[in-house]
Amino acid sequence: MIVLKDLTKEFGKESNKVVALDNVSCELPQGKFISIVGKSGCGKSTLLNLIGGLEKPTSGSVIIDGVDLYAKKESELAYYRNKTIGYVFQDFYLEPELSVIDNVSVPLIIAGKKAQEISRLAQDRISALGLESKTNEPTKNLSGGQKQRVAIARALVADASIILADEPTGNLDSDNSSEVVAILRRLADEGKTVIMVTHNLEEARQADITVEMKDGKIVEIKDRQ
Amino acid sequence: MNRNSIFALAKQGLKANKKSTKTIIAMMAVSMIIIIPVFVLLMGVSVSMNAELNKAPYLLYLSASFEDYRQNEKGASRLAGYERADRRIVYEEYTLTDEFLSVEVNMIVEDREFSLAGETSNIAILDAEKSNILLPKNFDKAGGLFVEGCDEAFSGDGRGQIILSQALLDKLGLSAHDVYGKEVSIYANSRQQEVDGYVCYKYRVVGVIKSRFYNEFKKETEHPMRSWFFVVDTNVYRNDEPVLRLVGGSEGYANIADKVSLNQEQRYMMLDIGKSHFRNTSVYVEADSYRDLLLTKEGIADEHVGESAAFSGYRLLYKIAQSLGFMLMLTGIVLLIVTIAYYFLNVRFDVEKRKKYMMMLRAMGAQKQDLPKIYMVQAIIICAKASAIFATIGFGVCVGIKYAVNAVMKLGVPGAMTAISISWLSIIVPIIAMVALIFATAIFIGYASVKSVSKKEIIETLRGE
């Protein structure tokens, strides 16, 4: 269970302070496909980043499997990100000159896996996402949809249990968007916790649970199951 | 992250910047290949030249016009001005005994107190009975008397003639008659003959310097001891006539030879031990003192002015090497600076370009301190590759230069010189020094450039704020 407790995140100093998250509390079950929707600036991405341990909250806590994320030390938090979280961003953040397999291997390298294992696991993930023919292709040569699949492969390669996707379809056409959402759906069906931030209500409907946000607060949680 | 992970990510980083990495490696290697052989060549020629000088102790028979020389009521004397480190002008005046004036000698040995300047030349006078040595009485290695100056002027078979100072004899309780015509053994810096555990060489005493006067600020004072006299500056007389002058010293042979062969009359500072600085035609020393000599070729027979053909060759080569070296060195240094600047800018540009990727690394589990380490390893890999190239090629070029120069010199210079001695050490030392320099610079640049980025917040950087 992912428990958010009185979570507040403020940006800026006193005079021009912006409250991105305002005392948010909720419980999100694991192993589900969760979408977070809302208008721009409502705090969706901030919530995702706080769950992922990328940003520290101003106050409150994020408790995952009974452990307060922000009570951890910097090194423990880095370890948590490597072992538990997989990120997928709208802008992919791939290294364009490196091949697909090199990009996908990075979390495994950080985890300190051996070269053979890295190669095997990365290859498996690439194949699972239908990119085997592109394994040694520099990512700069790939289409947007292919790049996002590489990013998903990278997020999954270290066997993360939580996949955080921040507008993963934002830069993709409708066909590629559907494909990416379908992949995320499949991952949730396989038991991963997938949390996706999106503007697209159609995509959000693919999720098991939809969290709607407004002005830094959660206004509704819809559980379709 | 463990070491393997950092190494793997560093390799990935280089792969991602393949083109600029190759350019940097090439630039580093080329600049080093230009710089190293120049260093080596200059060092080699210089070492060879010095070795040649050491082989020929009488290489330089110089004659000064000796304007300062004069007869006085006590005998012959000369006046030489020198400036001490404290900028006081000090004049000294030698007054020589009759014995000195009547014999042909080839050096003067100065007396000095061992402990005065903390200098470490151990010149000891040993037991007379055992080794036909005079002046043994008060010898005490720790604080006793020493004679010095022979080291530079004498070599070869280690035998010659000597003049001792009266001050020294006084201290030993001896008169000039006790020592005149006798042989003394002098221990001097690992010289040829060993006597009673000391390495010695022998001289026949042919004269005694009776006294010396120093004129400091025009006030005549007798100084019984001097600590700084290291330069040998000897006038050779025959029948009261100065016939030639022998100048030697711990430093300055090459410089003197250079100036004299050009027949330049100029004021020249004779060095003492210590660091020297050349400024225009003068030499300044940081330490104790120096003398100011006026050297010309005027008034001496040609046969007394000369140098070995080999030395001539070396000097010519040295001049060529110096001129070429200067140009090459300048090119190399400019190229090195450009390389370092290019590397610096490239790393900065790369860091800027890959800032978001680096934050992704952190999002994927890398820690803040891992990022500078990755760039440091990249720097090490680049330097190692560049070093391997330039060390190999540079070494080859050095050896090539060594043989090429020898061949050219043998063809072109009368009285062909012997081979230039470029030792392995003189090749390896500059190579290691250069490798160390570029490693240190590159690692610093790699580390410093990423340090600030690594501290940034992940999300803020990813958002481009």
Side-chain angles (χ1 to χ4, degrees):
Chain A
M1 188 70 78
I2 299 169
V3 181
L4 313 178
K5 218 171 174 182
D6 305 327
L7 209 53
T8 299
K9 178 68 183 176
E10 293 168 354
F11 294 104
K13 300 244 163 97
E14 285 302 317
S15 54
N16 44 5
K17 193 164 45 179
V18 175
V19 181
L21 278 186
D22 189 3
N23 214 24
V24 169
S25 294
C26 72
E27 290 187 0
L28 301 170
Q30 297 224 46
K32 304 282 180 192
F33 187 6
I34 301 161
S35 63
I36 304 174
V37 294
K39 287 181 181 171
S40 284
C42 70
K44 310 184 289 287
S45 294
T46 305
L47 182 65
L48 196 76
N49 296 333
L50 290 174
I51 294 170
L54 296 178
E55 263 181 319
K56 281 192 177 174
T58 309
S59 63
S61 48
V62 177
I63 298 162
I64 297 175
D65 297 334
V67 179
D68 184 353
L69 213 58
Y70 293 99
K72 287 174 187 278
K73 288 183 202 159
E74 163 71 28
S75 57
E76 290 169 342
L77 203 56
Y79 183 78
Y80 160 80
R81 287 196 295 257
N82 182 253
K83 294 287 168 201
T84 314
I85 306 286
Y87 296 95
V88 179
F89 290 97
Q90 181 179 346
D91 291 328
F92 324 128
Y93 300 127
L94 298 171
E95 184 57 73
E97 298 293 331
L98 294 182
S99 65
V100 168
I101 192 162
D102 282 342
N103 271 286
V104 172
S105 301
V106 172
L108 298 170
I109 294 173
I110 293 170
K113 303 270 186 212
K114 290 191 173 153
Q116 263 187 329
E117 198 181 355
I118 290 173
S119 174
R120 183 177 57 78
L121 291 172
Q123 194 63 63
D124 286 352
R125 278 299 166 193
I126 291 165
S127 301
L129 286 153
L131 289 165
E132 55 269 57
S133 63
K134 304 286 180 188
T135 304
N136 296 311
E137 192 77 27
T139 54
K140 66 179 178 187
N141 297 342
L142 303 183
S143 69
Q146 287 170 327
K147 281 179 186 168
Q148 198 57 292
R149 276 193 280 157
V150 174
I152 293 170
R154 185 178 63 184
L156 290 170
V157 74
D159 203 22
S161 56
I162 301 172
I163 305 298
L164 303 177
D166 192 355
E167 304 201 25
T169 59
N171 280 338
L172 305 179
D173 58 31
S174 56
D175 285 351
N176 278 314
S177 297
S178 306
E179 198 180 335
V180 165
V181 173
I183 292 168
L184 295 175
R185 173 71 260 175
R186 201 170 69 220
L187 290 172
D189 293 342
E190 287 168 5
K192 305 272 183 201
T193 305
V194 178
I195 304 177
M196 175 180 73
V197 165
T198 182
H199 279 111
N200 189 319
L201 293 176
E202 189 58 41
E203 286 173 6
R205 269 185 224 116
Q206 305 285 318
D208 301 322
I209 298 168
T210 300
V211 178
E212 193 182 341
M213 292 190 70
K214 193 179 178 187
D215 298 334
K217 290 179 189 289
I218 293 175
V219 290
E220 191 183 5
I221 298 178
K222 272 187 207 161
D223 189 339
R224 291 195 177 76
Q225 292 180 326
Chain B
M1 257 200 283
N2 65 27
R3 240 180 285 170
N4 289 342
S5 305
I6 285 172
F7 190 74
L9 288 173
K11 269 171 65 179
Q12 274 203 352
L14 293 177
K15 206 169 159 189
N17 289 289
K18 215 186 252 176
K19 224 183 231 176
S20 58
T21 303
K22 275 184 181 169
T23 313
I24 289 167
I25 291 173
M27 284 174 77
M28 270 184 185
V30 169
S31 58
M32 294 296 125
I33 287 166
I34 292 175
I35 292 170
I36 292 293
V38 175
F39 267 128
V40 170
L41 183 62
L42 285 176
M43 271 176 73
V45 175
S46 169
V47 167
S48 304
M49 192 156 73
N50 283 331
E52 186 64 23
L53 286 167
N54 289 335
K55 270 195 291 185
Y58 297 106
L59 189 66
L60 306 169
Y61 287 100
L62 309 177
S63 173
S65 56
F66 226 37
E67 290 158 354
D68 297 333
Y69 177 82
R70 68 174 191 266
Q71 292 285 333
N72 63 24
E73 70 279 4
K74 293 173 183 169
S77 69
R78 74 174 175 83
L79 188 69
Y82 56 93
E83 199 172 359
R84 288 169 46 144
D86 59 7
R87 317 303 297 171
R88 283 184 300 168
I89 303 293
V90 180
Y91 293 96
E92 63 177 24
E93 186 169 301
Y94 287 73
T95 304
L96 307 173
T97 59
D98 293 343
E99 289 95 326
F100 175 79
L101 293 171
S102 63
V103 295
E104 185 176 342
V105 297
N106 45 31
M107 67 184 296
I108 292 173
V109 177
E110 298 289 340
D111 64 305
R112 52 184 271 178
E113 188 107 51
F114 179 70
S115 60
L116 272 180
E119 291 156 1
T120 54
S121 302
N122 294 322
I123 301 175
I125 302 163
L126 300 175
D127 191 289
E129 280 184 22
K130 281 185 183 170
S131 51
N132 192 22
I133 298 167
L134 294 174
L135 323 175
K137 288 183 181 170
N138 296 334
F139 171 64
D140 166 10
K141 203 177 175 201
L145 294 161
F146 301 89
V147 282
E148 177 167 277
C150 43
D151 203 24
E152 285 66 40
F154 254 108
S155 67
D157 65 359
R159 287 180 180 275
Q161 296 166 322
I162 193 168
I163 293 174
L164 300 174
S165 74
Q166 185 65 56
L168 181 67
L169 296 184
D170 290 346
K171 283 194 172 55
L172 296 167
L174 296 166
S175 72
H177 291 291
D178 293 329
V179 298
Y180 188 76
K182 305 285 175 56
E183 213 170 42
V184 293
S185 289
I186 297 172
Y187 170 79
N189 299 337
S190 45
R191 283 292 172 165
Q192 285 83 358
Q193 290 176 261
E194 190 170 308
V195 179
D196 285 355
Y198 292 101
V199 181
C200 298
Y201 60 130
K202 296 185 175 185
Y203 301 100
R204 191 165 63 85
V205 178
V206 293
V208 173
I209 301 173
K210 203 170 179 182
S211 58
R212 286 182 308 198
F213 294 92
Y214 294 79
N215 192 333
E216 190 173 334
F217 298 121
K218 299 199 163 94
K219 186 185 165 193
E220 200 165 87
T221 324
E222 188 170 357
H223 287 238
M225 286 297 196
R226 297 173 56 199
S227 66
W228 56 79
F229 230 58
F230 200 79
V231 174
V232 176
D233 176 14
T234 306
N235 291 288
V236 179
Y237 298 86
R238 184 175 287 129
N239 301 324
D240 292 348
E241 289 297 319
V243 289
L244 64 92
R245 183 176 180 202
L246 175 66
V247 181
S250 59
E251 295 183 57
Y253 268 134
N255 302 316
I256 294 165
D258 193 37
K259 286 175 173 40
V260 171
S261 68
L262 293 171
N263 204 14
Q264 285 175 347
E265 184 173 337
Q266 54 191 309
R267 196 151 280 263
Y268 183 78
M269 300 288 180
M270 182 68 82
L271 294 180
D272 188 8
I273 307 163
K275 274 188 179 175
S276 58
H277 305 286
F278 289 81
R279 198 180 301 151
N280 300 325
T281 55
S282 298
V283 180
Y284 298 86
V285 291
E286 279 182 3
D288 253 337
S289 64
Y290 48 86
R291 280 186 288 172
D292 198 344
L293 304 173
L294 199 62
L295 301 176
T296 75
K297 284 162 77 173
E298 191 185 329
I300 57 164
D302 281 349
E303 63 263 27
H304 290 132
V305 179
E307 55 191 40
S308 72
F311 180 74
S312 270
Y314 282 126
R315 199 179 49 231
L316 175 69
L317 180 59
Y318 190 71
K319 279 183 181 298
I320 294 168
Q322 239 180 351
S323 312
L324 270 175
F326 178 73
M327 288 187 291
L328 284 171
M329 190 79 81
L330 202 67
T331 315
I333 287 169
V334 168
L335 193 57
L336 187 65
I337 291 169
V338 170
T339 306
I340 288 171
Y342 178 78
Y343 181 66
F344 175 72
L345 291 174
N346 192 73
V347 170
R348 291 302 295 261
F349 179 72
D350 183 50
V351 167
E352 201 54 40
K353 195 177 74 178
R354 300 178 74 215
K355 209 159 60 180
K356 290 187 177 180
Y357 180 73
M358 280 193 268
M359 289 304 124
M360 265 314 283
L361 291 181
R362 284 194 54 207
M364 289 186 281
Q367 293 185 50
K368 282 178 188 174
Q369 64 267 30
D370 293 330
L371 302 181
K373 284 182 198 164
I374 291 169
Y375 272 76
M376 271 167 63
V377 172
Q378 282 184 9
I380 290 168
I381 294 171
I382 286 177
C383 291
K385 285 185 176 175
S387 302
I389 295 169
F390 86 68
T392 311
I393 299 176
F395 184 79
V397 171
C398 292
V399 174
I401 285 176
K402 174 180 169 174
Y403 289 109
V405 164
N406 283 342
V408 169
M409 292 307 293
K410 278 178 182 168
L411 286 175
V413 175
M417 56 193 256
T418 50
I420 291 177
S421 118
I422 294 180
S423 65
W424 296 117
L425 203 64
S426 63
I427 293 175
I428 290 164
V429 168
I431 287 177
I432 290 173
M434 280 297 165
V435 169
L437 175 78
I438 62 161
F439 263 81
T441 313
I443 287 171
F444 174 75
I445 289 171
Y447 185 82
S449 305
V450 189
K451 186 84 179 149
S452 57
V453 173
S454 68
K455 286 180 183 165
K456 287 183 188 289
E457 290 298 322
I458 299 172
I459 287 301
E460 279 176 20
T461 312
L462 288 176
R463 281 182 190 140
E465 286 164 17

